[in-house]
Amino acid sequence: LASPSAASSSLAADAPRTIAVIDVGTSSVRMAIGSVDRSGQIQLLETLSQGVSLGKDTFTRGEIARETIEECVQALRGYRRKLEEYGINRPEQVRVVATSAVREASNQLALIDRIYAGTGLTVEPLEEAEVHRITYRSIQPLLQLDEPLREARLIITEVGGGSTEVLQVDRGSVVYSHSFRLGSLRLRQTFRRLRASLSRLRDVMDLEVRRTLADFVEQVSREAPLELIGLGGDLRFAVRELVPDWDPRTIARVPVAALSELTEHVLTLGEDAVARQFRLPL
């Protein structure tokens, strides 16, 4: 017979592990807390998000302002308290990552040091190759459940605040990946100084997007049909507006015409009007 201590150890090994990941992003600091069972299945327990405009500083002045750093530290202190509520108190239980706004900041190390001193959390700026790997792994489980997509030629794109990740996938194998310095917040900060009408601003942004992606578009083979999969907060917002009964655990299919119509409508509105109509924080 197994001893009580051995039985207890066995039960502990079978018990789900509670873990968390924190994303120090371009316009917000987000955290997801989940439970992982022995088979690797993840159950999402709670998500949190707090706006912090790191990208606004990086993309306009090249470094993150001291006030913004302190705002980030305060947000992470609140998250640290939430982690303690879940019993997450060991380094291996939480991963803190950062993307383009931190990666490109000239005072990146000062931010990382301040966060560690203020919260005990170690921030890991992700290199582009790691971002591509995570992007693909995040969509893989959904592709496995959809046989036509699993066998198709895909373009997977994730539009963030500071960059856009693009992967070309052919029947499950990544054949191309690239990170473009083309994000929603970066574009807005770049062209904010232009005192132009909304329609003119839209034309300038459209031209910049086409110019940046021209080489990629040219190299994509058109010999067979392509499926486009979009990821990211902006697209999740669009899907929630266009597919009210969408289950976020599934892939939503959105007609390009409907997405274009929503985009054109949003572009006619100022920031305050967008926040009011769609109940978004400023």
Side-chain angles (χ1 to χ4, degrees):
L1 293 176
S3 67
S5 59
S8 176
S9 298
S10 177
L11 288 173
D14 290 340
R17 296 181 297 116
T18 307
I19 59 172
V21 62
I22 299 173
D23 174 22
V24 181
T26 298
S27 57
S28 64
V29 179
R30 300 180 297 160
M31 178 167 72
I33 299 173
S35 176
V36 184
D37 65 21
R38 192 175 182 182
S39 68
Q41 293 296 309
I42 300 175
Q43 178 186 0
L44 189 62
L45 301 177
E46 187 169 354
T47 61
L48 297 170
S49 180
Q50 185 167 331
V52 181
S53 297
L54 297 167
K56 182 178 179 180
D57 288 352
T58 298
F59 305 145
T60 56
R61 54 193 287 178
E63 65 177 19
I64 300 170
R66 182 178 300 176
E67 296 80 6
T68 309
I69 291 176
E70 291 306 315
E71 189 179 348
C72 185
V73 170
Q74 289 302 315
L76 290 170
R77 280 177 176 161
Y79 288 178
R80 191 69 197 242
R81 290 191 290 271
K82 177 62 69 172
L83 292 175
E84 291 170 358
E85 292 177 14
Y86 279 93
I88 298 175
N89 46 35
R90 299 192 306 277
E92 64 269 21
Q93 289 179 282
V94 58
R95 187 182 187 192
V96 187
V97 300
T99 48
S100 58
V102 173
R103 188 172 61 234
E104 297 176 25
S106 61
N107 59 340
Q108 172 196 133
L109 293 179
L111 169 72
I112 293 173
D113 288 346
R114 178 67 188 98
I115 289 175
Y116 183 76
T119 67
L121 296 170
T122 300
V123 178
E124 175 190 353
L126 295 180
E127 297 299 328
E128 292 176 359
E130 177 71 356
V131 174
H132 298 155
R133 187 183 70 83
I134 292 172
T135 298
Y136 185 50
R137 288 194 64 183
S138 71
I139 196 70
Q140 262 188 318
L142 295 178
L143 295 179
Q144 292 302 315
L145 298 175
D146 192 313
E147 185 173 352
L149 287 180
R150 189 170 67 240
E151 299 300 321
R153 296 172 67 242
L154 307 173
I155 299 294
I156 300 173
T157 178
E158 179 167 11
V159 181
S163 63
T164 294
E165 315 302 327
V166 176
L167 292 83
Q168 184 177 349
V169 178
D170 192 346
R171 288 181 287 276
S173 298
V174 177
V175 296
Y176 172 90
S177 64
H178 191 74
S179 180
F180 295 92
R181 290 194 173 188
L182 188 72
S184 54
L185 181 61
R186 189 193 295 271
L187 276 175
R188 188 171 69 183
Q189 293 303 123
T190 299
F191 297 117
R192 174 161 279 178
R193 294 184 296 274
L194 295 177
R195 298 183 181 278
S197 64
L198 284 173
S199 60
R200 173 59 180 156
L201 201 57
R202 186 233 189 270
D203 290 341
V204 172
M205 287 186 175
D206 185 63
L207 183 63
E208 177 66 10
V209 171
R210 291 178 183 276
R211 183 191 65 79
T212 304
L213 298 178
D215 289 343
F216 169 70
V217 172
E218 283 298 317
Q219 78 167 27
V220 174
S221 170
R222 294 173 174 80
E223 294 177 357
L226 277 169
E227 296 282 353
L228 177 63
I229 296 180
L231 309 174
D234 293 340
L235 281 169
R236 285 195 296 272
F237 156 75
V239 172
R240 284 194 294 268
E241 293 299 318
L242 297 171
V243 188
D245 59 348
W246 173 52
D247 180 352
R249 295 169 298 180
T250 64
I251 294 176
R253 284 173 168 78
V254 178
V256 173
L259 182 60
S260 179
E261 184 177 342
L262 175 64
T263 302
E264 294 293 339
H265 173 63
V266 170
L267 286 170
T268 65
L269 306 174
E271 291 182 10
D272 291 342
V274 169
R276 286 195 303 272
Q277 178 170 338
F278 298 105
R279 301 172 299 281
L280 300 173
L282 283 171

